[in-house]
Every structure is written in structure tokens, then in C-alpha cells.
Amino acid sequence: NRLLVGLHTSTCHCNSTHPIHRTASKSLKIKKPCFHSTQDTHKVSRDYEYLLVGLLVLVERGAHTHRAMWIEKRKVVAALSALLYPCLVAGHPGHVGHPAIDTNTSNARNAGNTSTELAPVAAGVYNATIIADSSSQDPSCPLPAFLSGWVENTNKYPLAVAEAHGAVLGTDLVIISGFYSGYDRATPQVWAKDATVPDAEWRRMDDIPIELGVSHASVVAVDLKLYLCGGFLGDGWPHEATILPDCLIYDHSIMPGSGSQWDDSIPDLPVGRAGGGMIYDSATDTLVFAGGTHYSFRDATDTWALDLEMLGSPHASWRSVADIPFTANHMSFVTATDSSGPERHFFLGGQIGHNEQSGNVNHNYEYVVSTNQWIEQPNMLFSRSHASSSTIAANCGFLIAGGSINSGQDKLTRTSDISYFDAARQQWVKVGDLPVTKPTPVCAISPPNAHGKRYMHCATGSLYNLWTVVREVKTTNGHRSWTASPSISPRPSASASVAPSLSPTTSPRPSSSVPPIHLYVNAGADEAKMLGGVQWQADTAYAKGGNLYESEQSIDTTKSRADEMIYQTERFGDMTYTFTDLDHGEYLLRLHFAEIYSELDYPGGRIFDVVVQDKVVFDGVDVYASSGGLYVAWVLEVVVSVSSASLKIDFLPRVENPKVSGIELHSKK
């Protein structure tokens, strides 16, 4: 309201008006200003810019609560941009409010740019303004800023590869191996280019000493060395692939041909792993490897640490530490750095088993090496996998670009989204898009060149084209302490002592007078059972309607952390579950399914909707199609709000009877 009043009272106006929001009784209108001076331009463009940013933030927040809002988000963004942007440039072309925002059409509409970004109107406002306007940010830790549009390189990456690995070593972007020529083989080739130059030529490095090449490995850069562990040997995909325990060191300080750039002086992982995460902690000189998948896409929570100071010693070996709290492969991992506070290590996202279509997760956990402690952080804006090599440190947090997202259908869905996690404020924000939707890209931010410029490069990620793009980016590193904003409870210090009563594997929740709620309900069971270390209750106290069914068939629980006995019983039919005496707030609702009725051995045999608090949260659920067949566990998760002390879940039929095997309810306090 303040913005609208200020705009109406402090500027001259054109005659035209535009409706922004319509109610039953009136239409709220904003008049388009005409600028007659530079002062007017600066003032009004700043006001309109803040208005647009504020509206976009509201849209972004609403998108994660209301599915319809998410669907309409792009339309709203385009409409707002089209409405407001002409007001910014009408009387003062070439300068729009803040100098950090680049509206130069040669950048936004480069003749060689095949970008599919929005036109300069939306690209300038949506991508640049939100993140370049540091006046409303903490000046010591602004958001990263894109200062130009994406430009496609003339010097494209030499190979069309996917699932490659990369990092910046010194001033060079180095990309290693990856799938090419279909998903049945990988390349051993390694290439590098000067990342401080927008379009530098690629130079061939020494091949990785694995003849068939490797994909899905975990890599971390330490000075001019890159540590690589695990991955798929490039001899077949997916189920025939050999999963490697091998660890190697690549040394970029050695020139190609003057001595091997690779050595195997680092111990191998205890067992083969692919798609896990790995970080380096400089304070303890330690590598940490977590999660990933082993044989037949069975995900693991094993986490190991290796003291690098022990390399060369017969005692050098990986040791077990606290397990990562979630199972996934194709996860992202990153170390956010700054000079005045400790490094912070994050493991996030990934997919469950081999389900890239709908098995992606949005978890985000921080691992503190000094206390062997996992700390839950705010989840990503949406579930995402296949972005391990495009998750990169920036400012007081990190960027994650591209990847695969859940489609809700049996098809692969990619994203172009670039999100930023501000680790100091514990907040996520969308900051832009790649020029195309892209899984498994390798992205990196260069160190500043002689002119103080940095560039964000993204390459590979496709078996079908030689894709390499670059844009100028404004980032800063190494100048902010990790002090949380006053409105956010500070995370436990990495050097803080841990109370003896606390588990070493899970961080303490903020203290509260209300104890957290954790309910485990075994649908169709007639008595409580201790399964997997958890007390699962019978569902009779919560269920109304439906019938019971059970099977003695073994259940494949690759895609679940629950015991198989949960899936051997079920309740099916016209049924409602009601949970009462709940505190107001948000809850994580987790639903367990498996198709155990052998007569429905085909997709589409059973389809139903799940309705929570009278709103459809999952529509068209097909357990057989989503899980991959009979006797395969499958899990759905959603965050729900409780404001009336009770939670109601209805299962509505479309084809045959709906069903459920287990229900979990966890308060998010």
C-alpha cells in the first residue's frame, strides 16, 4: 500500500491505467509514470522495482503452498514484467534504476545467443533486479548478481557428454570423463579451459587412468588438486554397470605430458558407491564421503571420513562417521566458504533408487566435521537431482543450477532453474535460469580476472549437442562471518560441545515447551510392532472405513527406509484417517505404498487421489506404475498445515480401490 500511495503522489503520470488485481467490487489500478528527469527516473524505477520484487516474492512463497499458484507463476511474472518494465524505460532509455542491472540489448540479445530466457524485459527485471539490487540486502553479503545474459560459446566443449565431473582449479575449469555416445559407455578424456576468459579454447589434459571412463563419481577440489571417488565404470547402464570404490587424485599443477597428472595414492572407499556426495574440510584436513547407491540401485546412508594428513601412511583408511540422515543418489554437495567463519558443508537433493521421474527429494543437511553432527537446513524450493556438478559456492551460500525434477508422471522432467541458498540467513531464493532446461551440467564461477570480472560457465549435460554457455556474474567470497540474522535461531557452532544426552547423528531441534510429534501407523495391522527400531501402531484408532489385506510376499524396499513388513499389510477401499489433538503448525506427512494384490499386475489397474484437509495433494496416484511393479515399496511426502488440532486424510477412488500401507506424521517444530 505504501508503494502504491507513493507512486500515485510523487510522480507525474500518463493517461493510461492498468488493472493489477480485481476484486468483486473494484479494480486496483496503477498508473504508468512518464519520466521527465533523471531524478524522476531513479526514484520511480526504484519504487517500481521494489514493487515488482515484492510481488514476485509473494508469488514465489505462494507457489510452494498452492499448486495452482505454482502453475500460474510464470504467467504472473510475465504479466508484471510487461506492465512495469515500460514504466522504467519510457523516459530514460539506457538506464534503469540501478547501475548493476544490465539493459544493454547487445548483452540481452546477442546475435549469437540461442538463449531461451525471457526477453530483456523479464530477464533484466526477474533475473537481475532481484539479485543485483544490494541496497535492500546486507551489504556485507549481497546475493549473487548476473550482469549479462547467457552467451553461447564459439569454443564449445569438445564432446557431447552427460554425468561428467568438474571444478575450477586455479583459473581453469576442468571437466573429467562422463557418458557419451549413449548411456552404454563413458569417455576417459579430460579437458580444461581458462575460466577467467569468456570464450577460451579447451585444452586436452591427461586421460583419467580408467580406460572405459567413469560417470557418477564424486569430486572435490583442494587448491590445484581434485579428489575423485566412486562412480560407474563406463561399461553399461544402468543395471549392468560396475560401481567403483576407486579413489584417484588429479594434480592440475603438472603440465600434460610432463608427468602423470593422476595418482592412486589415496585409499579406495570401503565399498563401491555412485552418486554420493564428498566434501573437504580444511580445518581438519579431512575428506568426507556420504550416501550414494551400490548394487541394483540400493541407496545407502554410510558416511566415511579420511584424514588426508595420513596419506602415505599404512594407517591411512576411511573410517565410519555419523550416517547421512537421508538416502539418495545423484545428490548435490558443496562447501560454502568465507574467510572470517568456518566452512560449512551441505549435502542436498538427489533421487531415490532409479526413479528419476518422481523419486527426487528436496532434503538439505549440513555436516559439521568437528562434532560429527548432521543439522537439518531448510529444504530446497523443490525436489531436484542430477545437479551435483552444478552446485557451486557463491557469496554466503551456494547456487544450484539445472537438474531433474519430479514430473508426477512416468517421464523425465528437466529444469533450467537457478536457486541460491543463503546459508547465513537460512533462506532459499530463485535467482534466474539456464538458457535451456538441462540435467547434469557442469557449472563453475571463475576467480576474478585482471579487470575484476567473474564469469559463470556451464557446459556439457547432453549427449546430443556441444553445449557451452557463459555470463558475467557478480559474486563475492571471503568477507562475512556466519552470524545468523536476528530473526533466525543460530545453528549450533561447529566448535560447540555436544551434550552427552544428544545423539551424535542428529542435531538438536530448537527448544520448545511443546514436545515434537512423531506418529508411525501401520495400515491394516492388528497390533503395534517394533519395526526398524520404530514403534509402529495399528491403524484402528485413526481409520474409518475400508478393508484389510495382507501378503507374505517379500517387498523390495530400495525406495524406502521402512521395514518390509509395513508393506505386507494394507487398508483399501472407501476410507478416511483422522489424527486429533495436534498442535497448530506444519507437519511432514509421509505415505507408504506397495502394490501387493497380484491381480493388478499392470499400470493403470488402480488409480486414486489423496485428499488432505479437503484439498487434493496427490492426484492420479498409480502405485504400480510409480513403484515399478508388484511388491515394490514407494513413498510420497508432503508438508501439511494444521490449524484446527486435527488432520483428515481421504483416499478417493478413480479406478479400483485406493489403498495405503503406512502413514507417518512428524511435526516440523
Side-chain angles (χ1 to χ4, degrees):
N1 286 340
R2 290 196 194 106
L3 286 169
L4 294 175
V5 170
L7 289 171
H8 279 282
T9 59
S10 64
T11 64
C12 70
H13 297 91
C14 303
N15 294 325
S16 60
T17 59
H18 289 263
I20 287 284
H21 176 73
R22 185 175 298 275
T23 65
S25 58
K26 63 180 181 179
S27 175
L28 174 65
K29 298 182 178 182
I30 296 179
K31 295 182 178 180
K32 295 174 64 175
C34 300
F35 302 143
H36 299 303
S37 69
T38 302
Q39 183 176 2
D40 285 344
T41 302
H42 280 274
K43 175 173 179 51
V44 179
S45 63
R46 173 73 63 94
D47 288 343
Y48 267 93
E49 186 178 306
Y50 285 167
L51 173 61
L52 177 56
V53 171
L55 290 172
L56 290 179
V57 168
L58 292 176
V59 171
E60 193 75 45
R61 289 179 178 173
H64 307 300
T65 306
H66 305 290
R67 186 170 178 227
M69 180 69 84
W70 172 260
I71 295 172
E72 295 296 320
K73 183 183 72 169
R74 287 285 181 173
K75 296 179 183 178
V76 175
V77 170
L80 289 173
S81 299
L83 168 68
L84 298 180
Y85 190 82
C87 303
L88 305 185
V89 298
H92 196 64
H95 181 79
V96 186
H98 302 293
I101 304 170
D102 190 347
T103 59
N104 187 322
T105 56
S106 66
N107 284 333
R109 295 177 178 174
N110 186 288
N113 186 3
T114 59
S115 167
T116 57
E117 280 189 294
L118 298 173
V121 169
V125 177
Y126 186 51
N127 284 341
T129 303
I130 290 179
I131 59 180
D133 175 21
S134 59
S135 61
S136 62
Q137 301 289 332
D138 183 341
S140 67
C141 191
L143 294 169
F146 296 122
L147 303 182
S148 72
W150 288 103
V151 177
E152 187 167 2
N153 285 178
T154 302
N155 294 302
K156 297 178 174 62
Y157 190 70
L159 301 173
V161 297
E163 307 277 9
H165 325 89
V168 169
L169 300 177
T171 60
D172 283 351
L173 169 59
V174 179
I175 297 182
I176 297 170
S177 204
F179 279 126
Y180 86 112
S181 186
Y183 287 102
D184 60 346
R185 61 186 301 188
T187 175
Q189 293 185 22
V190 179
W191 293 81
K193 76 168 186 176
D194 186 348
T196 65
V197 178
D199 196 5
E201 293 185 355
W202 291 92
R203 314 184 310 274
R204 182 78 176 267
M205 301 290 110
D206 289 351
D207 288 358
I208 188 172
I210 300 175
E211 183 178 357
L212 295 173
V214 66
S215 67
H216 298 79
S218 302
V219 301
V220 61
V222 182
D223 298 323
L224 289 176
K225 292 184 177 180
L226 188 144
Y227 295 84
L228 180 148
C229 287
F232 285 114
L233 184 67
D235 63 348
W237 175 259
H239 299 293
E240 299 81 10
T242 300
I243 298 181
L244 301 172
D246 301 51
C247 289
L248 296 167
I249 302 174
Y250 170 82
D251 191 341
H252 199 56
S253 67
I254 300 174
M255 296 296 293
S258 62
S260 176
Q261 292 179 300
W262 292 91
D263 76 68
D264 59 356
S265 61
I266 180 173
D268 291 344
L269 297 174
V271 295
R273 283 286 187 274
M278 187 166 67
I279 57 88
Y280 170 73
D281 184 72
S282 63
T284 58
D285 197 23
T286 301
L287 288 178
V288 176
F289 187 102
T293 192
H294 49 119
Y295 65 92
S296 299
F297 268 92
R298 290 187 175 272
D299 298 329
T301 58
D302 301 318
T303 304
W304 306 297
L306 175 68
D307 301 321
L308 291 184
E309 64 180 9
M310 299 296 290
L311 288 186
S313 163
H315 303 293
S317 64
W318 294 88
R319 53 185 169 83
S320 294
V321 293
D323 287 353
I324 188 171
F326 66 96
T327 57
N329 60 81
H330 288 85
M331 68 175 62
S332 290
F333 46 96
V334 66
T335 296
T337 59
D338 98 30
S339 62
S340 57
E343 297 169 327
R344 299 180 63 180
H345 312 294
F346 298 87
F347 295 76
L348 60 154
Q351 72 180 36
I352 304 298
H354 195 220
N355 185 7
E356 187 179 349
Q357 293 87 345
S358 58
N360 302 298
V361 299
N362 64 353
H363 304 305
N364 178 21
Y365 280 86
E366 178 182 357
Y367 180 66
V368 182
V369 176
S370 61
T371 60
N372 189 27
Q373 189 177 31
W374 290 95
I375 300 173
E376 186 175 9
Q377 294 289 347
N379 288 342
M380 293 190 291
L381 297 179
F382 49 85
S383 298
R384 180 185 335 218
S385 67
H386 291 75
S388 59
S389 291
S390 54
T391 304
I392 47 180
N395 291 23
C396 295
F398 57 86
L399 295 165
I400 180 169
S404 295
I405 60 177
N406 290 335
S407 66
Q409 303 175 21
D410 189 21
K411 65 179 182 179
L412 298 178
T413 304
R414 317 302 195 185
T415 183
S416 62
D417 173 88
I418 304 175
S419 295
Y420 174 70
F421 181 65
D422 187 327
R425 300 182 184 90
Q426 295 178 295
Q427 294 176 345
W428 284 95
V429 61
K430 177 184 172 69
V431 295
D433 287 279
L434 295 171
V436 294
T437 59
K438 184 70 64 173
T440 72
V442 175
C443 294
I445 295 175
S446 72
N449 61 17
H451 303 287
K453 293 186 176 182
R454 294 175 181 262
Y455 298 99
M456 180 173 176
H457 301 260
C458 288
T460 77
S462 173
L463 296 174
Y464 310 108
N465 58 67
L466 305 175
W467 181 77
T468 308
V469 292
V470 65
R471 73 190 303 180
E472 187 180 347
V473 61
K474 182 180 180 181
T475 64
T476 54
N477 285 304
H479 65 273
R480 179 186 170 89
S481 61
W482 295 111
T483 303
S485 133
S487 63
I488 300 173
S489 300
R491 70 185 186 94
S493 168
S495 59
S497 60
V498 180
S501 61
L502 295 177
S503 164
T505 61
T506 307
S507 66
R509 294 281 186 177
S511 60
S512 171
S513 59
V514 180
I517 293 175
H518 298 286
L519 290 176
Y520 298 85
V521 177
N522 188 0
D526 55 4
E527 61 181 359
K529 294 181 181 179
M530 183 67 71
L531 300 172
V534 175
Q535 182 78 10
W536 288 80
Q537 305 177 38
D539 70 343
T540 50
Y542 310 101
K544 180 180 179 180
N547 300 286
L548 308 185
Y549 183 73
E550 64 179 27
S551 171
E552 296 182 353
Q553 291 285 341
S554 178
I555 306 296
D556 179 356
T557 58
T558 301
K559 301 173 184 177
S560 168
R561 288 173 283 179
D563 190 279
E564 72 167 348
M565 290 186 68
I566 298 300
Y567 304 97
Q568 291 173 329
T569 62
E570 66 180 31
R571 185 177 291 269
F572 70 93
D574 184 8
M575 57 190 177
T576 298
Y577 281 82
T578 304
F579 299 90
T580 58
D581 298 325
L582 300 177
D583 299 314
H584 294 188
E586 289 190 331
Y587 290 77
L588 173 66
L589 174 64
R590 183 176 291 136
L591 303 174
H592 296 263
F593 304 94
E595 185 53 75
I596 59 175
Y597 186 56
S598 60
E599 298 298 318
L600 296 180
D601 188 14
Y602 53 91
R606 184 196 308 272
I607 300 176
F608 57 92
D609 298 337
V610 179
V611 178
V612 178
Q613 306 292 61
D614 299 321
K615 294 181 180 179
V616 177
V617 294
F618 299 112
D619 58 339
V621 175
D622 186 336
V623 176
Y624 183 96
S626 298
S627 65
L630 287 175
Y631 312 117
V632 181
W634 184 57
V635 181
L636 287 174
E637 291 183 356
V638 65
V639 175
V640 297
S641 295
V642 172
S643 57
S644 58
S646 66
L647 180 72
K648 185 179 71 166
I649 308 171
D650 294 297
F651 296 83
L652 304 182
R654 288 196 189 183
V655 179
E656 284 291 346
N657 288 306
K659 60 174 293 175
V660 67
S661 297
I663 300 175
E664 296 180 47
L665 191 63
H666 305 280
S667 59
K668 297 200 71 180
K669 295 181 179 179

